[in-house]
Amino acid sequence: MGRGMMEGLMPYRDLFDQKGPFIFLIYGFSYTLCGSYWLVFVLEVFAVTASMIFCYKAALLFVSGKKAFIVSLLILYSMCSFHYYAGGGHPSEFILPFQFAAIYGVCRLYRDPDRFVRTGVVFGAGIGMAFC
């Protein structure tokens, strides 16, 4: 799909898949820039790292630092070990950081209700990007 888009084919007219266009643009740019899908792997590493950071920050609001780190490792391990992640490049891997940012925003609001506007922006941005 990504390579086809970069060669001028139109998604959902010439090519069809049930995923949104953003994942295909990532694949297309990776193929155009690197000649392979290596860039997708690099973006996946950044996405999983960002997910772990937001998960850690959310857990840190409720438990100690060591326990928060273990929780973030366990949650990400359990989410990224399903069979459909085996090939990589699944849209869920790129959505995780935005979902965890939204979860962190809600947890932060629970701990500090006076930061409603700032938390609403973080939550809205996280969920909004997850829908793209």
Side-chain angles (χ1 to χ4, degrees), residues 113-130:
D114 296 332
R115 307 181 96 183
F116 184 75
V117 173
R118 190 189 245 171
T119 302
V121 169
V122 170
F123 181 77
I127 292 299
M129 285 303 295

Side-chain angles (χ1 to χ4, degrees), residues 79-100:
M79 294 182 87
C80 293
S81 65
F82 291 121
H83 62 87
Y84 53 82
Y85 286 117
H90 197 272
S92 299
E93 295 170 340
F94 298 110
I95 292 173
L96 279 176
F98 302 109
Q99 289 174 331
F100 276 118

Side-chain angles (χ1 to χ4, degrees), residues 1 4-5 7-17:
M1 286 287 292
M5 285 175 61
E7 292 175 356
L9 298 175
M10 292 296 298
Y12 312 112
R13 185 186 72 189
D14 303 322
L15 306 165
F16 186 75
D17 199 343

Side-chain angles (χ1 to χ4, degrees), residues 3-47:
R3 185 173 61 193
M5 285 175 61
M6 293 300 137
E7 292 175 356
L9 298 175
M10 292 296 298
Y12 312 112
R13 185 186 72 189
D14 303 322
L15 306 165
F16 186 75
D17 199 343
Q18 74 263 17
K19 300 177 185 88
F22 187 65
I23 189 75
F24 303 131
L25 287 175
I26 290 173
Y27 271 93
F29 286 133
S30 177
Y31 182 77
T32 302
L33 294 175
C34 303
S36 68
Y37 300 115
W38 185 80
L39 182 62
V40 174
F41 174 72
V42 172
L43 291 174
E44 287 174 353
V45 169
F46 284 125

